[in-house]
Amino acid sequence: MQTLTSVFEMQTLAEDLRSKGQIIGLVPTMGALHEGHLSLIRLAAERADTVVVSIFVNPTQFGPNEDFARYPRELGSDLDKCLSAGAAVVFAPSADELYPKGYSTYVQEEYISKPLEGVSRPTHFRGVTTIVAKLFNIVRPDFAVFGQKDAQQVAVIKKMVNDLHFTVDIVTAPTLRDPDGLALSSRNRHLTNTQRQEALVLHRALQKAKSMVESGECRSDRLIAEATHLLGEHRRVRIIYTSVVDRCTMEPIRDVIPGKAIMAIAAWVDEVRLIDNIIL
Ligand code: PAF
C-alpha cells in the first residue's frame, strides 16, 4: 500500500493507473476509521482495481463551535486498517497542501444542503462539497463510496455530481451498527456507558417508524409524533430534529412512499451530537 501526501503525486499515480485501464474507487474519510469505514473500503475493493482512501480532517466543514480541534487523528492505526480492508493507496495530505495560504474557491449546493443538518450547521455542506470536488479532481475516480448514515451528505454530493457534470458514480453503502443498534460513528467514543444506553433510543425510534410504515401507516406526522414520544422518554436526549423527508431532495413529505422516504434524526446525548436515519 502506498501513502501519498502531495496532490501532484496523487494526480500522477491516478493518471498512470487510468492509462493502464484500471478502475479506481475512492473512499473519502476523515480518519479515525472504524468498522463502518472499513465496510466502505471493502465494498470499494469488490468493484475497483485500485482503492484509494483519502484521510483528511477537513477544516472547512467544521463550524466555529464544532469539534475540529478535538477530532481524533490516528494516522498510524488508520493505515493498518486501510491495508487490511483492501486499500492500495492512502492519500493523506496536510491542510496546507489542500488549502494553501490565499485559498478562496468553494463549491456550494444551495438547496438540499439547507434543511436538517444545514439549519444548525449552515457552512457544513459547503465544506463537504468543496473537499469532495477537490478529491474528485485529484483522484479522478470511476466511483466513490459514501455511507448512508450521512444521508443528507449523500444527497448533496449526488446533486453536486449531477449539477457540475462530474463523471463519478456515487455508491451508497448501508449503515453499519453495533449489535445493540447504535450506528457506528467516530463520535460514539465520546459516549459514556450511560449515555450510550440512552443513545440507543435513536435507532429504536427509527425502527418504530419503519414498523409503522410496514403496518400501513404512511402519515409522516404520526411517525414523527411516535418517534418524538420515544426520544422524549430519555432525559439525556435532546432532539435537534426528527423529520420524514424525500431521500433525494431532503424535502419534508406528508405521506410516505415506501423506499423513497427516510426518517432522519439528530439529537444531543448530553454534549455528544448524533445523527441517524432509516429508509422507510
Ligand atoms: O463523511 C465524512 O467523513 C466527510 O464529510 C467527508 C466525506 C470525508 C468529507 O470530508
Side-chain angles (χ1 to χ4, degrees):
M1 191 178 75
Q2 301 189 56
T3 306
L4 305 178
T5 55
S6 96
V7 169
F8 177 73
E9 280 172 343
M10 185 66 246
Q11 280 177 322
T12 309
L13 175 67
E15 192 53 53
D16 184 44
L17 294 170
R18 250 191 322 278
S19 71
K20 293 179 177 138
Q22 294 227 347
I23 302 220
I24 302 176
L26 171 66
V27 183
T29 80
M30 298 208 298
L33 303 180
H34 50 65
E35 272 302 316
H37 296 109
L38 303 190
S39 72
L40 308 185
I41 301 173
R42 289 188 194 108
L43 181 66
E46 283 170 20
R47 303 176 179 211
D49 298 311
T50 300
V51 176
V52 178
V53 177
S54 62
I55 298 182
F56 179 65
V57 185
N58 175 35
T60 61
Q61 71 188 74
F62 289 82
N65 301 318
E66 293 180 10
D67 48 3
F68 176 66
R70 77 164 183 156
Y71 201 88
R73 282 135 173 109
E74 321 174 325
L75 188 59
S77 59
D78 283 347
L79 293 179
D80 295 340
K81 290 175 188 169
C82 287
L83 179 63
S84 72
V89 181
V90 170
F91 177 50
S94 67
D96 284 346
E97 181 71 7
L98 291 192
Y99 298 109
K101 197 168 179 305
Y103 186 89
S104 60
T105 303
Y106 295 87
V107 176
Q108 185 157 1
E109 191 287 326
E110 301 203 333
Y111 187 72
I112 298 172
S113 335
K114 296 286 186 232
L116 307 178
E117 289 299 288
V119 173
S120 40
R121 309 181 72 196
T123 57
H124 172 67
F125 288 115
R126 173 184 187 255
V128 171
T129 42
T130 299
I131 191 64
V132 171
K134 284 162 74 70
L135 290 169
F136 286 175
N137 282 331
I138 296 165
V139 179
R140 301 257 312 280
D142 294 279
F143 70 90
V145 186
F146 296 87
Q148 172 63 23
K149 158 121 185 332
D150 296 302
Q152 190 174 9
Q153 170 169 280
V154 171
V156 169
I157 289 169
K158 283 187 172 168
K159 188 67 168 53
M160 175 191 80
V161 162
N162 192 54
D163 285 351
L164 298 184
H165 316 288
F166 281 101
T167 54
V168 185
D169 273 345
I170 302 302
V171 176
T172 312
T175 303
L176 227 67
R177 299 180 181 280
D178 275 331
D180 58 12
L182 189 68
L184 297 192
S185 160
S186 313
R187 296 207 167 119
N188 293 353
R189 66 179 69 197
H190 301 305
L191 296 169
T192 63
N193 284 343
T194 316
Q195 290 167 338
R196 197 194 148 86
Q197 284 311 308
E198 298 247 310
L200 299 180
V201 71
L202 269 71
H203 185 229
R204 280 210 302 280
L206 293 170
Q207 275 186 313
K208 175 73 186 173
K210 189 172 172 65
S211 76
M212 286 170 74
V213 172
E214 283 163 357
S215 313
E217 180 58 79
C218 67
R219 284 163 300 182
S220 297
D221 56 350
R222 294 289 175 96
L223 305 175
I224 292 168
E226 190 58 35
T228 310
H229 174 69
L230 285 176
L231 292 160
E233 288 174 343
H234 294 260
R235 79 178 175 84
R236 293 176 189 279
V237 177
R238 291 182 319 283
I239 302 169
I240 303 165
Y241 58 77
T242 306
S243 298
V244 174
V245 294
D246 179 294
R247 62 186 289 203
C248 297
T249 63
M250 297 290 129
E251 283 167 346
I253 48 179
R254 200 186 62 175
D255 296 309
V256 170
I257 302 168
K260 288 200 185 310
I262 60 166
M263 175 177 272
I265 296 178
W268 291 101
V269 179
D270 291 334
E271 73 288 359
V272 184
R273 190 183 194 282
L274 297 178
I275 59 170
D276 201 351
N277 69 82
I278 203 161
I279 300 173
L280 296 170

